[in-house]
Amino acid sequence: MGKDEHEIQVQHFSLLKSKYQATKYQNSSPLSFLYLILRRVDLGISITDIEFQYLEANQLFETIKLINLELNLKQYKKTELKRLGYDFLELKTRYKVPKNFGFYFLHPLLLKLDSENILTDSEIKLLKDYNLKETLAIANQIQEFAKLKIKYRATNISRFFPDKLFRILKKIDSAETLNKQESNWLSNNGFLETLEIYSERKKQKQREDEAKFAELKDKYQATKYWDKSISSKLFSILKKLETETILEKSELDWLQKNKLTETFSIADKQKHKIEFTRLKKKYKVTEFEDSSPDSNLYEILQKVEQFSQLIEVDIDWLKSHGLNKIVKIAKDKDWKRLRDKYLATDQKLKFDPFYNILSRLDKGERLDKLMFTQLTTENLLYLGSKIAITYYQIEADFFEEEFKRTKNKWLIPKISSYWRKAKKPLKALEITGKVNLEKLKDKDLKARILVTRGAAFRDVSQLNEGKHLALQAHKIDSKSHHPCTLMGAICYGLGEYGDGDYWFEEARKRGAKTEDIDKEIKRLVQETSKKNKRREIIEYLLKKDERRYAWAKKYLKN
């Protein structure tokens, strides 16, 4: 040991003897047993019985007392530290702080909340910074409760946050009416001043409401209504009008029932004015000054909102007022409506030219040849599609009007064909039934009508009637493939597959294309609703030519 180190230890020993009142111990050597004992005690290390005996032997009783006190304090600190940890954990649980939140600076803040003290702005900011939203919500409730208790003289309560009192005070503060049970609770629990404040406020509120009711009746031309009570339905309606809240249908009906026509008129006009304001804001045309519900813009925006198609007059009006963006919005919304209405979900078409095409169909207008070609090019006129049904219905209607005007019987097979393609075979039967076939001298026309009428009977599953007409048509015009094709399809429908193949072959000999015959068979499979019947047809086709009719396999699963 160096000289300097020895001197330091001597000085340290002297200090320890002074601290633990052992100065009468004469030996000052750092090698002394007492120095070792005092060093251990000062470092918080418990000493042994032998060491206590040594102190007693040297009559260092004051030293022993101080050592015992030191050790007791050490144990107390450990216990106190644990207690503080438990207290912090309990407070964290109570105030919705995550258990793993270990920042002890929060402890005094939670203690402050627990004693109902209002937090400072910096303490509120601290909760926000650490994203302690639930704790902040509780803190806000505590502070709100504290303010309400002071405001309504309800401070005589031992523990904060009795939910019942808090709810009652909030009701009082929001001018709500307490029920009898709540009033009794305040009385029974000694909150007489609170109850007195509430009663006075209630009387004052009633006086204000009565005055307000009279004012509103005058303003909204309802003075002839007899009931002056603020509990009247009329008062709640007039308050809604005053706050520019749209009335429910039942409320409008009530006004009419009670013959308050002037009030109803005001309410209805206000309803449209509010709706107009909402629509102008939604479609970003608030710069348009006219707010009257009679404005053309209101009517147009309603159409846009309801996905209704604008007429040419509407579009011209918008353009003349520099509102071209509404024209675009209207067309975009209408295009979406048309796509939803007429197209399958996987069909994607360009706006131009198909918006114009679908718009015309939607309005029941006929298409020109170019439009028809554009539909067929995109394969949109396949049988059963919404576009095809609409297109053929429009055509059928048009030619029915032409038939009424011209009485030209050659239009009948065309009209019947269109009605069948529009999935309305009964209409086809109706138009073909208007001709007395027995008196019809034109054999070609008669054969065509017989075929289309027979096909319509087939559409409604009256196969025998269809078969009868198809045979008549074949007898009249044996060179045409149409009666033969119809016969083939009807025989398949009746389960007479051999006869069906015979007639399909006869149709092919007379000019029917093989792919057209196969389309007819495919349509038959698709439209056969009974599973057993469909399976029977498919199994027959696959047995006859598995490769040619491979497409039919997928219909076995349906």
Side-chain angles (χ1 to χ4, degrees):
M1 181 189 300
K3 183 179 179 182
D4 290 343
E5 188 177 351
H6 178 78
E7 286 297 324
I8 289 169
Q9 287 189 337
V10 169
Q11 291 175 15
H12 184 221
F13 188 18
S14 177
L15 288 170
L16 290 175
K17 284 198 290 183
S18 176
K19 179 178 179 180
Y20 291 101
Q21 297 185 21
T23 53
K24 65 181 180 179
Y25 187 79
Q26 296 300 316
N27 189 350
S28 298
S29 170
L31 300 176
S32 165
F33 189 34
L34 178 61
Y35 183 40
L36 175 63
I37 294 171
L38 295 182
R39 284 170 67 193
R40 283 164 58 82
V41 170
D42 206 47
L43 290 170
I45 301 171
S46 298
I47 62 175
T48 64
D49 290 342
I50 293 172
E51 290 168 318
F52 271 115
Q53 289 169 8
Y54 177 83
L55 293 172
E56 288 176 355
N58 286 275
Q59 298 183 348
L60 295 171
F61 301 112
E62 289 300 319
T63 303
I64 291 171
K65 285 182 182 178
L66 288 171
I67 287 172
N68 282 329
L69 181 60
E70 184 85 16
L71 292 174
N72 287 338
L73 281 172
K74 176 188 170 187
Q75 186 59 41
Y76 175 77
K77 285 177 182 177
K78 283 184 180 178
T79 305
E80 186 63 12
L81 190 60
K82 268 187 184 179
R83 187 180 294 115
L84 281 172
Y86 289 138
D87 287 349
F88 188 33
L89 182 60
E90 184 184 344
L91 287 169
K92 285 197 294 183
T93 302
R94 188 181 304 160
Y95 295 104
K96 310 292 184 185
V97 177
K99 288 184 179 179
N100 59 357
F101 193 93
F103 299 105
Y104 279 92
F105 64 78
L106 193 63
H107 196 170
L109 189 150
L110 297 182
L111 283 171
K112 192 173 181 181
L113 277 180
D114 210 44
S115 59
E116 298 185 66
N117 288 312
I118 294 175
L119 300 184
T120 63
D121 290 342
S122 60
E123 288 168 330
I124 293 291
K125 185 177 182 300
L126 191 67
L127 293 176
K128 289 179 179 177
D129 290 344
Y130 282 93
N131 201 30
L132 297 171
K133 293 179 181 178
E134 290 185 281
T135 310
L136 185 61
I138 295 172
N140 288 335
Q141 283 190 321
I142 290 171
Q143 292 180 97
E144 182 186 0
F145 189 30
K147 290 174 183 176
L148 289 174
K149 285 196 292 182
I150 293 169
K151 184 176 180 179
Y152 296 105
R153 299 177 191 174
T155 53
N156 57 325
I157 188 161
S158 59
R159 185 65 183 152
F160 95 97
F161 231 62
D163 291 341
K164 193 170 188 71
L165 179 61
F166 189 30
R167 285 199 302 271
I168 290 173
L169 294 182
K170 284 201 293 184
K171 282 185 76 171
I172 293 173
D173 201 55
S174 60
E176 293 182 50
T177 302
L178 300 184
N179 58 43
K180 190 174 181 180
Q181 185 183 23
E182 291 166 332
S183 297
N184 290 340
W185 189 90
L186 288 175
S187 179
N188 295 337
N189 286 276
F191 295 104
L192 300 180
E193 285 187 282
T194 307
L195 198 55
E196 186 179 339
I197 292 170
Y198 165 70
S199 298
E200 187 53 43
R201 282 174 62 107
K202 186 178 177 183
K203 290 175 186 175
Q204 178 62 27
K205 177 75 166 49
Q206 184 168 347
R207 288 192 292 268
E208 290 172 356
D209 283 347
E210 286 170 352
K212 186 67 176 177
F213 190 17
E215 178 190 332
L216 292 177
K217 283 171 79 174
D218 186 58
K219 180 176 180 179
Y220 294 102
Q221 299 179 32
T223 51
K224 63 183 178 182
Y225 189 67
W226 58 272
D227 192 353
K228 297 180 180 180
S229 169
I230 57 174
S231 61
S232 163
K233 187 175 181 68
L234 178 60
F235 187 35
S236 65
I237 290 173
L238 296 182
K239 283 192 291 184
K240 287 181 77 171
L241 288 177
E242 185 69 1
T243 55
E244 296 192 341
T245 303
I246 295 175
L247 299 186
E248 302 288 337
K249 183 179 182 301
S250 59
E251 293 169 321
L252 289 168
D253 290 344
W254 187 91
L255 290 173
Q256 285 188 312
K257 183 180 177 182
N258 287 274
K259 298 180 180 179
L260 295 168
T261 51
E262 295 88 351
T263 312
F264 175 86
S265 178
I266 293 170
D268 189 57
K269 190 171 183 178
Q270 182 171 288
K271 171 188 172 183
H272 290 294
K273 186 177 180 181
I274 294 167
E275 180 65 8
F276 188 18
T277 302
R278 183 188 73 81
L279 291 175
K280 284 205 294 183
K281 186 176 180 181
K282 179 176 179 178
Y283 293 104
K284 299 177 181 178
V285 286
T286 50
E287 72 278 5
F288 191 80
E289 292 182 3
D290 189 357
S291 296
S292 169
D294 298 325
S295 166
N296 284 343
L297 180 60
Y298 179 44
E299 184 180 348
I300 292 170
L301 292 181
Q302 283 180 304
K303 288 183 181 180
V304 175
E305 184 76 352
Q306 294 161 10
F307 288 81
S308 298
Q309 193 174 28
L310 300 187
I311 59 177
E312 207 62 41
V313 175
D314 296 330
I315 294 171
D316 290 343
W317 188 91
L318 287 170
K319 288 180 178 178
S320 69
H321 287 78
L323 297 172
N324 293 319
K325 60 184 175 182
I326 300 298
V327 176
K328 185 178 184 309
I329 291 170
K331 285 187 175 181
D332 287 344
K333 290 190 75 169
D334 195 40
W335 175 229
K336 181 182 183 306
R337 177 186 68 83
L338 292 170
R339 290 200 316 269
D340 291 344
K341 182 175 179 179
Y342 290 103
L343 299 177
T345 53
D346 59 343
Q347 289 175 303
K348 294 181 180 178
L349 296 176
K350 293 180 180 179
F351 179 87
D352 186 25
F354 291 100
Y355 172 68
N356 191 30
I357 293 173
L358 295 185
S359 294
R360 290 189 67 165
L361 286 176
D362 200 55
K363 289 184 285 188
E365 297 176 1
R366 296 185 73 208
L367 304 184
D368 58 34
K369 287 183 180 180
L370 176 60
M371 291 176 172
F372 176 80
T373 303
Q374 287 165 329
L375 288 179
T376 53
T377 301
E378 291 290 337
N379 193 30
L380 293 171
L381 282 176
Y382 60 89
L383 285 177
S385 73
K386 193 71 180 287
I387 291 177
I389 289 171
T390 306
Y391 170 77
Y392 289 119
Q393 181 168 321
I394 291 169
E395 292 298 297
D397 282 331
F398 172 79
F399 284 107
E400 278 215 2
E401 289 301 315
E402 283 293 293
F403 175 66
K404 289 176 185 176
R405 185 176 64 84
T406 65
K407 309 300 181 184
N408 181 0
K409 292 185 177 62
W410 274 97
L411 293 174
I412 290 177
K414 178 182 284 191
I415 296 167
S416 174
S417 176
Y418 284 147
W419 279 129
R420 288 186 59 237
K421 289 177 181 178
K423 294 292 181 180
K424 293 189 176 180
L426 293 178
K427 284 275 193 177
L429 290 173
E430 182 184 339
I431 189 67
T432 54
K434 291 182 177 181
V435 183
N436 188 337
L437 293 173
E438 292 182 3
K439 292 182 179 180
L440 192 62
K441 294 179 180 179
D442 190 322
K443 290 185 178 182
D444 288 342
L445 177 57
K446 185 175 182 178
R448 287 195 184 188
I449 294 176
L450 285 167
V451 169
T452 189
R453 184 169 174 78
F457 273 119
R458 176 198 163 200
D459 292 339
V460 295
S461 300
Q462 295 184 33
L463 300 181
N464 287 320
E465 289 84 345
K467 185 177 182 181
H468 174 69
L469 294 176
L471 287 171
Q472 283 189 56
H474 178 64
K475 188 175 180 181
I476 294 170
D477 187 3
S478 60
K479 294 180 181 181
S480 172
H481 64 79
H482 296 294
C484 300
T485 304
L486 177 59
M487 275 297 297
I490 290 174
C491 287
Y492 261 64
L494 290 168
E496 300 166 357
Y497 306 118
D499 290 344
D501 289 338
Y502 165 79
W503 283 108
F504 281 136
E505 179 59 23
E506 290 299 308
R508 191 186 63 76
K509 289 177 182 177
R510 288 163 173 76
K513 295 179 181 178
T514 302
E515 54 266 33
D516 289 338
I517 292 172
D518 285 352
K519 282 181 184 178
E520 196 65 40
I521 294 173
K522 189 172 185 178
R523 179 190 160 205
L524 176 73
V525 171
Q526 290 172 333
E527 293 180 353
T528 300
S529 57
K530 293 182 179 178
K531 290 184 178 181
N532 292 340
K533 180 67 175 176
R534 187 192 306 147
R535 176 175 288 277
E536 182 184 300
I537 298 172
I538 293 170
E539 287 176 351
Y540 174 79
L541 292 171
L542 293 174
K543 186 176 179 181
K544 186 171 71 166
D545 191 334
E546 186 174 1
R547 185 175 178 182
R548 179 178 173 182
Y549 301 109
W551 53 263
K553 291 179 182 178
K554 72 175 182 178
Y555 293 99
L556 287 171
K557 301 175 184 178
N558 298 336

